[in-house]
């Protein structure tokens, strides 16, 4: 009996017992098939659970935008809303940006006029009274708008604007003044207006987005020093961090501390964040932003003003590589960083960059997890 169970036929075993043993083979195979069917069922359940967990994790993908002030975080945040399939700007949100655009125009002209006095640059005689009205006004009116339009063409204003690296001025100042005719009376801002209008980020702004069927949460936080104490509230369960630095700001100073170079501040901030223990296994994406502005500036302003070891002169490619290596060194040898040169104001460019980081970084995180 034991030999039959084990599938062993003894020398003296009757033939009929051998026949009986052969007859039992199909029954044994039936048990194996049943076990195989059960295993397949269990595997199917496991795979379904994994699929559900992956989909849930995709919904829970959390991308945190960090960087110093005016580095482009909020512009990228707005670009993601423009590119999203579920959370685009509404008509009412576009209209709400109108007063902010007009306020930007007034405030930036006031900065230029004050800087002209500081730099001892005179205005044209015919515009002195217009300048006085603008400096004394509290807010936009269509009459003030006409003054702004004329002042923007003033030779003294343009000479002052050409030295804007010496004072604090928004990057999109020229864009709004060149389009000022659209901002009189009632108007609906365009998406380009939305991207360029400066509204300082205070607190934490979040959005649940779907871009090309990829779901994720994106979080934008203020970059000024006074806002950074709030960052710690966003650190939990982060999937990836995108750190922004404006490479065009290498010759400028912080708004909040004009003794500190913006690039130096950004490098120090990046190094500190990369070495936070909670982020040890989190991939970092580095956006070396405002490439378009940098390529224009490097023709006139040597990178040596920030990095005295740079010997590339006006070579934009060499200068960008030098800056990139500074940041990779600051991150440390053990930290994985994915660098990209970006123009956050360009929607098509951002769409391509996001596709790259989605495929190369965010989906890789999910693949590694599962």
């Amino acid at each position: 009996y034991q030999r039959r169970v084990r599938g062993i036929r003894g020398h003296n075993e009757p033939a009929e017992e051998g026949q009986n043993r052969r007859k039992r083979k199909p029954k044994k195979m039936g048990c194996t098939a049943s076990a195989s069917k059960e295993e397949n069922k269990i595997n199917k359940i496991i795979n379904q659970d994994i699929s559900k967990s992956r989909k849930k994790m995709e919904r829970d993908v959390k991308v945190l935008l960090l960087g110093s002030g005016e580095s482009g975080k909020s512009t990228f945040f707005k670009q993601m809303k423009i590119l999203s399939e579920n959370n685009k700007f509404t008509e009412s949100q576009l209209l709400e940006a109108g007063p902010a655009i007009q306020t930007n125009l007034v405030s930036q002209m006031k900065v230029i006029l004050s800087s002209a006095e500081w730099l001892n640059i005179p205005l044209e005689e015919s515009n002195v009274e217009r300048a006085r009205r603008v400096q004394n006004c509290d807010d936009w009116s269509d009459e003030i708008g006409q003054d702004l339009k004329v002042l923007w063409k003033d030779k003294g204003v343009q000479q002052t604007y050409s030295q804007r690296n010496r004072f604090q001025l928004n990057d999109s100042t020229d864009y709004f003044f060149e389009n000022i005719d659209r901002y009189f009376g009632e108007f609906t801002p365009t998406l380009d207006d939305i991207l360029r209008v400066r509204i300082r980020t205070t607190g934490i702004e979040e959005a649940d987005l779907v871009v090309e069927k990829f779901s994720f949460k994106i979080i934008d936080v203020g970059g000024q020093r006074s806002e950074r104490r709030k960052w710690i509230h966003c650190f939990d369960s982060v999937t990836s961090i995108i750190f922004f630095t404006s490479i065009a700001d290498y010759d400028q100073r912080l708004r909040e501390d004009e003794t500190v170079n913006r690039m130096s501040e950004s490098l120090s901030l990046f190094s500190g964040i990369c070495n936070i223990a909670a982020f040890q296994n989190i991939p970092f994406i580095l956006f070396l932003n405002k490439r378009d502005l940098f390529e224009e500036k490097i023709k006139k302003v040597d990178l040596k003003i920030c990095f005295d070891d740079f010997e590339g002169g006006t070579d934009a490619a060499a200068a960008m590589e030098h800056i990139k290596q500074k940041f990779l060194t600051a991150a440390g040898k053990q930290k994985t960083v994915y660098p990209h040169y970006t123009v956050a104001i360009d929607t098509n460019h951002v769409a391509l960059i996001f596709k790259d980081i989605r495929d190369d970084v965010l989906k890789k995180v999910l693949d590694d997890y599962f």
Side-chain angles (χ1 to χ4, degrees):
Y1 173 77
Q2 289 177 344
R3 285 199 300 271
R4 288 201 299 271
V5 170
R6 294 171 185 165
I8 300 173
R9 183 178 177 182
H11 292 292
N12 299 320
E13 185 177 345
E16 62 181 32
E17 286 193 15
Q19 291 173 358
N20 289 339
R21 176 167 51 80
R22 285 193 295 272
K23 287 179 183 179
R24 281 193 290 271
K25 278 187 178 180
K27 186 174 181 181
K28 186 175 181 181
M29 289 176 66
C31 291
T32 303
S34 176
S36 179
K37 187 175 180 180
E38 185 65 24
E39 287 176 3
N40 289 337
K41 184 178 179 181
I42 292 171
N43 286 336
K44 185 177 180 180
I45 293 171
I46 292 172
N47 288 333
Q48 287 174 344
D49 287 343
I50 291 174
S51 179
K52 287 178 182 178
S53 297
R54 184 185 178 97
K55 288 178 180 178
K56 181 182 184 302
M57 191 171 178
E58 285 179 352
R59 289 196 300 272
D60 293 340
V61 167
K62 184 175 174 181
V63 179
L64 180 60
L65 311 182
L66 297 179
S68 53
E70 300 178 71
S71 56
K73 301 185 310 302
S74 297
T75 302
F76 182 80
F77 183 89
K78 289 185 280 189
Q79 289 281 27
M80 288 293 96
K81 285 177 65 70
I82 290 171
L83 293 169
S84 74
E85 300 157 19
N86 67 318
N87 203 345
K88 294 183 180 295
F89 286 102
T90 64
E91 185 75 11
S92 62
Q93 288 173 326
L94 292 175
L95 290 171
E96 287 171 4
I101 291 171
Q102 294 169 331
T103 298
N104 277 194
L105 282 161
V106 173
S107 66
Q108 297 310 286
M109 181 55 74
K110 285 185 175 184
V111 170
I112 293 173
L113 294 174
S114 297
S115 299
E117 292 182 13
W118 170 58
L119 295 168
N120 294 316
I121 298 175
L123 303 184
E124 295 172 24
E125 186 64 31
S126 60
N127 287 329
V128 171
E129 181 58 26
R130 289 190 178 90
R132 185 192 64 78
R133 285 197 296 266
V134 169
Q135 286 176 313
N136 292 331
C137 78
D138 295 323
D139 207 348
W140 168 280
S141 68
D142 284 354
E143 291 75 17
I144 288 295
Q146 291 295 341
D147 287 334
L148 296 175
K149 181 178 177 180
V150 175
L151 283 168
W152 178 245
K153 303 297 182 182
D154 185 278
K155 292 178 181 178
V157 165
Q158 286 300 309
Q159 185 181 345
T160 305
Y161 178 73
S162 70
Q163 300 183 49
R164 57 192 176 276
N165 66 305
R166 300 180 65 182
F167 52 93
Q168 305 292 344
L169 199 68
N170 295 346
D171 289 334
S172 295
T173 295
D174 60 336
Y175 168 86
F176 286 114
F177 277 109
E178 293 298 331
N179 288 278
I180 195 170
D181 286 336
R182 292 198 287 109
Y183 308 129
F184 289 88
E186 294 184 4
F187 70 98
T188 300
T190 65
L191 289 176
D192 279 339
D193 294 336
I194 290 289
L195 288 171
R196 288 171 170 81
V197 65
R198 174 162 172 74
I199 302 173
R200 178 180 168 182
T201 304
T202 57
I204 300 168
E205 189 170 2
E206 300 184 9
D208 292 303
L209 303 176
V210 178
V211 178
E212 294 186 2
K213 299 181 180 179
F214 185 81
S215 302
F216 62 101
K217 180 189 290 292
I218 190 168
I219 303 171
D220 181 27
V221 292
Q224 282 76 20
R225 288 177 172 179
S226 60
E227 295 293 321
R228 293 175 197 169
R229 64 180 181 275
K230 303 172 186 176
W231 289 7
I232 194 170
H233 302 297
C234 309
F235 288 173
D236 187 44
S237 303
V238 171
T239 307
S240 183
I241 290 174
I242 303 180
F243 186 91
F244 290 75
T245 185
S246 171
I247 59 175
D249 288 355
Y250 63 90
D251 64 336
Q252 292 177 252
R253 304 286 171 174
L254 294 180
R255 283 185 187 267
E256 56 267 46
D257 184 353
E258 294 200 352
T259 66
V260 179
N261 177 278
R262 291 190 184 188
M263 181 70 74
S264 298
E265 173 84 353
S266 185
L267 265 171
S268 176
L269 183 60
F270 183 65
S271 176
I273 292 171
C274 283
N275 289 287
I276 292 176
F279 296 156
Q280 184 178 357
N281 298 315
I282 292 175
F284 270 60
I285 300 160
L286 173 64
F287 275 10
L288 300 155
N289 195 32
K290 303 186 184 181
R291 175 178 182 167
D292 53 334
L293 301 180
F294 176 85
E295 289 175 338
E296 288 301 313
K297 181 176 285 188
I298 196 66
K299 297 173 184 176
K300 304 172 184 177
V301 184
D302 199 314
L303 189 60
K304 271 185 174 293
I305 197 170
C306 182
F307 302 117
D308 58 13
D309 60 339
F310 178 66
E311 300 294 342
T314 59
D315 186 334
M320 289 191 295
E321 177 66 21
H322 192 84
I323 293 172
K324 183 180 77 173
Q325 291 304 323
K326 291 288 185 182
F327 276 86
L328 295 181
T329 299
K333 294 181 180 180
Q334 304 303 316
K335 190 66 186 174
T336 301
V337 178
Y338 302 85
H340 293 270
Y341 298 113
T342 58
V343 182
I345 209 72
D346 184 334
T347 303
N348 291 330
H349 173 78
V350 169
L352 291 173
I353 290 293
F354 181 75
K355 183 178 184 300
D356 286 344
I357 64 174
R358 181 198 65 195
D359 295 344
D360 295 343
V361 183
L362 300 179
K363 285 189 175 180
K364 184 177 182 299
V365 170
L366 297 177
D367 291 339
D368 290 347
Y369 183 83
F370 291 100

